[in-house]
Amino acid sequence: MSPQELESKIEQRRAVIGVIGLGYVGLAVACAFAEAGFRVAGLDIKADRVATINAGRCPIEGDEPGLSSLLARVVASGHLRATTEYAVLSDADVALIAVETPVDEHHRPQYAALRAAVARLGQHLRPGMLVIVESTLAPRTMLDVVAPLLESASGLSVTREVHLVHCPERVMPGRLLANLRNVSRVVGGMTPVAARLAVSLYRHIVQAELDVTDCLTAELVKTAENAYRDVQIAFANEVALLCEAVGADVHRVRTLVNKSPGRHMLMPGAGVGGHCLPKDPWLLIATAGDGFQPRLIPAARHLNDAMPLHVVDLVVAALGEAGRDIAGAKIGILGYTYLENSDDTRNSPSAVTVARLRELGAEVVVHDPWVPDYQGHLLERVAGCDAAVIMVAHQAYRRLDLQALRDTLRTPILIDGRGIFDATQVRAAGFMYRGIGQGAR
Ligand code: SAJ
């Protein structure tokens, strides 16, 4: 199939698209292309996930506006079918890879899923196909891992016989379809023709800009945009720790800093969780090699990862002032998701705080209105606790009845990990109050 033939198949929506990996990224993009009128074969190794999708049900938990109804529609219309069989790719004109690319405990990229997907795709690759990798990749992964593996598995050249592109996803839990449609995308082509074909494809589902570049630049943009945010948050956290040390209120400082032109200091907090920020900075610097030793980006990661433990320090100090030891104390953790008003618990900072408190001998109860295991009546859950610790800025916690909370605790300590309370008001309600970045007593 020539590029011209593929381009006209794409233009006329006759191109058959295979999407490998039906997680929150792959499933959303599979549904979007199906909605645009393409025939889409979704591929996943999890047979139960495949069965759920073919039954027209969405396997993604949480509140994803429009996704469940869209999935039901495109499955009913026959535009989307899921399978575990890679053989369906033999009929595909486009193959899109959206599998996980985690890092291990040493922060090194784990490409087992990516390698498996590329190798199995290679066995069904035909000349003229367009292959797009949406997974987030360390710089040079397309050149050093994906391209060689695809060529050896297929016997085809990724510069002359097939078209290879890296188009990193920019979705966000809770806004999967909205981001997919409205956020600009970087289209990194192994060749200009590949990039042009990918642009003609994405034009069917993306209303925002499609910025054409090369694969390496696309890898750097995605990982750098998240490392950038992680460093910004780490800066806010370091200023918060400084404010505690010198007896100031970081929220007042931040408000006034942000009145200075061009300043946008982010919020200090109890930690940085989720599927992007804890991982992408490590991917960004993973292939730096000996010629370059990153300092700022790892330091920011370590600083942010220390914040859930800093919350424990605040709890221990407050208990000490109240004459209680952490061992044998009962601590109520409010919030277990990684983000406010979300049900997503991936890389939850609260998990780190809870583990450490238990290591120190505390009994810990967890409440979170968005997590089935931790739902329930808040005041009942934290009754008899020696401290209530705000780990997530859920709307439900902003409306807390402080007097009722004070009456149900055994020791009236409130630790504010997300700056959602006014220290003066909390103290007026009879609490001992400690907040991240709030050194003023
Ligand atoms: N956080 C802070 N302080 C802040 C902002 C966030 O401590 O000022 C914490 C949050 O509590 C959370 C973590 O950082 O634990 C991540 O929060 P996030 O708002 O960055 O949300 P994410 O992880 O879903 O980030 C996504 C990313 N989007 C993609 O990867 C496509 C990120 O690039 C976006 O910048 C971010 O959404 C966004 O702007 O909403």
Side-chain angles (χ1 to χ4, degrees), residues 170-172 222 226 229 233 266-267 273 276 338 418:
R170 276 181 168 163
V171 294
M172 193 192 159
K222 168 66 185 178
N226 281 341
R229 185 168 174 84
I233 296 168
L266 294 184
M267 276 293 282
C276 301
Y338 88 88
R418 293 291 174 187

Side-chain angles (χ1 to χ4, degrees), residues 63-146:
D63 179 19
E64 286 298 345
L67 185 59
S68 293
S69 54
L70 173 57
L71 186 144
R73 265 200 325 277
V74 295
V75 169
S77 70
H79 284 92
L80 173 62
R81 269 198 60 65
T83 177
T84 58
E85 298 304 319
Y86 270 72
V88 298
L89 293 174
S90 302
D91 300 331
D93 303 301
V94 178
L96 191 153
I97 296 175
V99 297
E100 60 162 10
T101 51
V103 293
D104 65 16
E105 66 277 15
H106 304 296
H107 316 309
R108 285 191 299 255
Q110 293 304 293
Y111 284 155
L114 177 69
R115 289 178 184 277
V118 172
R120 294 184 69 182
L121 164 61
Q123 292 159 8
H124 303 278
L125 206 60
R126 298 183 329 280
M129 276 181 76
L130 170 62
V131 176
I132 299 169
V133 180
E134 285 211 354
S135 307
T136 303
L137 304 174
R140 297 197 58 83
T141 300
M142 289 296 286
L143 288 169
D144 297 346
V145 176
V146 175

Side-chain angles (χ1 to χ4, degrees), residues 41-346:
L43 270 152
D44 202 289
I45 54 174
K46 299 188 185 99
D48 56 341
R49 177 171 286 245
V50 164
T52 302
I53 292 168
N54 287 335
R57 290 198 316 276
C58 183
I60 307 273
E61 290 87 39
D63 179 19
E64 286 298 345
L67 185 59
S68 293
S69 54
L70 173 57
L71 186 144
R73 265 200 325 277
V74 295
V75 169
S77 70
H79 284 92
L80 173 62
R81 269 198 60 65
T83 177
T84 58
E85 298 304 319
Y86 270 72
V88 298
L89 293 174
S90 302
D91 300 331
D93 303 301
V94 178
L96 191 153
I97 296 175
V99 297
E100 60 162 10
T101 51
V103 293
D104 65 16
E105 66 277 15
H106 304 296
H107 316 309
R108 285 191 299 255
Q110 293 304 293
Y111 284 155
L114 177 69
R115 289 178 184 277
V118 172
R120 294 184 69 182
L121 164 61
Q123 292 159 8
H124 303 278
L125 206 60
R126 298 183 329 280
M129 276 181 76
L130 170 62
V131 176
I132 299 169
V133 180
E134 285 211 354
S135 307
T136 303
L137 304 174
R140 297 197 58 83
T141 300
M142 289 296 286
L143 288 169
D144 297 346
V145 176
V146 175
L149 188 53
L150 202 57
E151 290 190 327
S152 63
S154 67
L156 298 171
S157 157
V158 297
T159 51
R160 292 191 312 281
E161 294 174 288
V162 294
H163 309 289
L164 184 56
V165 166
H166 176 40
C167 183
E169 52 85 9
R170 276 181 168 163
V171 294
M172 193 192 159
R175 297 189 336 227
L176 286 185
L177 289 178
N179 272 29
L180 190 54
R181 291 169 180 146
N182 305 318
V183 175
S184 71
R185 299 289 291 271
V186 176
V187 181
M190 195 60 84
T191 65
V193 170
R196 197 184 72 239
L197 287 165
V199 166
S200 65
L201 179 71
Y202 279 102
R203 188 48 67 221
H204 289 285
I205 62 170
V206 176
Q207 274 80 48
E209 272 189 309
L210 295 167
D211 297 308
V212 171
T213 185
D214 59 273
C215 287
L216 177 60
T217 302
E219 290 164 332
L220 283 159
V221 167
K222 168 66 185 178
T223 48
E225 73 191 27
N226 281 341
Y228 169 72
R229 185 168 174 84
D230 196 51
V231 167
Q232 283 182 301
I233 296 168
F235 176 81
N237 284 332
E238 182 136 90
V239 171
L241 296 174
L242 175 64
C243 286
E244 285 182 31
V246 298
D249 175 354
V250 72
H251 299 294
R252 180 73 177 140
V253 169
R254 172 177 174 270
T255 301
L256 297 178
V257 162
N258 287 346
K259 294 189 78 164
S260 173
R263 275 32 170 216
H264 308 288
M265 184 172 157
L266 294 184
M267 276 293 282
V272 173
H275 55 294
C276 301
L277 273 57
K279 164 176 78 87
D280 294 357
W282 294 120
L283 287 175
L284 171 60
I285 60 177
T287 43
D290 300 338
F292 166 76
Q293 285 309 316
R295 287 169 292 177
L296 174 64
I297 292 166
R301 280 279 72 235
H302 293 308
L303 201 156
N304 287 338
D305 279 352
M307 294 311 286
L309 299 175
H310 180 64
V311 169
V312 175
D313 295 344
L314 293 176
V315 172
V316 171
L319 285 171
E321 276 196 42
R324 284 194 178 277
D325 190 54
I326 184 70
K330 186 179 177 187
I331 309 298
I333 294 288
L334 275 60
Y336 200 79
T337 61
Y338 88 88
L339 197 63
E340 58 271 12
N341 308 318
S342 151
D343 72 340
D344 197 329
T345 60
R346 275 173 292 189

